[in-house]
Amino acid sequence: MKTFYRFSLFVILFSILQANNFCLANFDLELYMSNLNNNLLMSQDEIHNFNKKINGIVSLSSFKNVLSKEELENIIFQNDNYFPLYIDSVYYEHQNFSDKIIIRDLNTIKYAITLKRVNIRTFPTLEKASYYPDDTEFDQFQETTFEINEPILVLTEDKTGKWVFVQSKNYNGWTLKKDIAFFPNKEEFIKYIESLKSNFITTISSKTRLTFDTGEFQDVNMGTKFILKEKKPINGSFKVIVPIKDSFGMVNFATAKISTSNAVYQFLPYTRKNVIAEAFKMLNEPYGWGGEHGFHDCSSFTQDIFKTFGFTFPRNADTQEILPGKRFSFKNLDYDDRLDFIKTLKPGALLFMKDHVMLYLGFIDNSPYVINDITSYYQNEILVRDYKVAVTDIINARRSDSKSFLESLTTAIEIP
């Protein structure tokens, strides 16, 4: 069983990245944090308006009630470019999933909610896909995960009745029907969504224990929202409303509790210090491709951090790279110009290179550092396999093309 190390900001004195020799001798996190600006960067109204400018965010409340055959096919088969690949170690030039899916001339939308953390798959299958026969770490059919209490639209299902194709506010894909519950109508669905915008708490720990009144529990990720049953905490816990389902698969509700140390009313104040503090709560957490095993990859790491402040980021690194904000391009900058420019960025800025996003920490011991959820990189021509949330020196870490992370940067974004 994996051991998770929780770090208290007032006692940490550590050397970072002992596994890869990027050693920050006597790095005092408490001192580092004390020097960060804790002024409010954006109000909730400003964050709400910022979210409206983000491309690719879907309004579930105003989504069409019925989709034509062509509209549904355009949504479902937008990810049909994965082949050739190996499925459960067997090579396929192509595999046709279309004959397994129900697509009518007119497809009525249904309204649902997740009952647990669910995997979102490219196709309605649990078979693992990879580009190499011995690759067990990167399942190409694993798109992402949705946490418990995620409102979703159900666009259709497969012919077995076990899988449904769902749309959240920022992603879509296939999930198991048994892990969701249906609302009786759109009106009840919208009513629930509106409640999640006002009387709610947000989890702020890497993992938060959600304990049902029955004694059952789930561990949920950072940035998960729940409607409050009672606004005033009782015995150090928030009492929250959680979705369950009846014997017909329809949504019902139960109560559960969450420790006040793991959640806040509505959202955290958006400050640089809070951004970095949330990131360090996940330090050393194992890497999870597409959110597998309840962990994060690089973009869900940043997504969940910013959820705690009320931001609705897109899911993947390439779509996060086109976020609004104060944007900077590294195009045509040489090494020295890149280094000089990095020095002007503020901690908490997002840094991008191809297929990867990182959170900038600043210059420490005369080198620029980031915190990121990373798989591997090269150091001194040796492959270092981190597979965790780690702090990385972007001068010394290199990609497979031998370029340093600094030389590979494409975009920086400060919000605001």
Side-chain angles (χ1 to χ4, degrees), residues 267-377:
F267 298 113
L268 283 171
Y270 179 48
T271 70
R272 298 197 197 287
K273 180 175 287 188
N274 282 343
V275 170
I276 301 302
E278 289 301 288
F280 269 94
K281 289 178 181 179
M282 289 189 270
L283 185 68
N284 285 333
E285 179 187 274
Y287 180 89
W289 168 262
E292 281 192 308
H293 313 301
F295 300 127
H296 296 84
D297 54 25
C298 69
S299 53
S300 63
F301 170 69
T302 51
Q303 183 186 48
D304 281 3
I305 290 168
F306 280 84
K307 276 183 183 179
T308 67
F309 308 105
F311 290 96
T312 304
F313 276 17
R315 173 58 180 86
N316 295 326
D318 57 346
T319 47
Q320 289 183 15
E321 191 169 3
I322 59 174
L323 281 167
K326 192 176 180 182
R327 300 173 51 81
F328 310 89
S329 173
F330 288 90
K331 188 177 181 180
N332 299 325
L333 293 184
D334 62 23
Y335 184 91
D336 289 337
D337 288 340
R338 286 168 176 262
L339 198 59
D340 288 340
F341 175 71
I342 283 287
K343 293 177 182 178
T344 69
L345 291 176
K346 297 180 178 64
L350 297 169
L351 291 177
F352 296 88
M353 53 189 183
K354 181 176 172 55
D355 300 325
H356 192 57
V357 56
M358 305 165 283
L359 198 66
Y360 181 59
L361 294 177
F363 265 70
I364 305 169
D365 286 352
N366 299 314
S367 285
Y369 279 82
V370 297
I371 183 168
N372 60 153
D373 210 329
I374 191 169
T375 55
S376 59
Y377 52 88

Side-chain angles (χ1 to χ4, degrees), residues 15 73 96 159 178 186 233-234 279 308 311 315 333 350 363:
S15 296
E73 287 177 337
N96 185 15
K159 291 179 180 178
K178 68 181 179 62
K186 184 176 183 178
I234 300 173
T308 67
F311 290 96
R315 173 58 180 86
L333 293 184
L350 297 169
F363 265 70

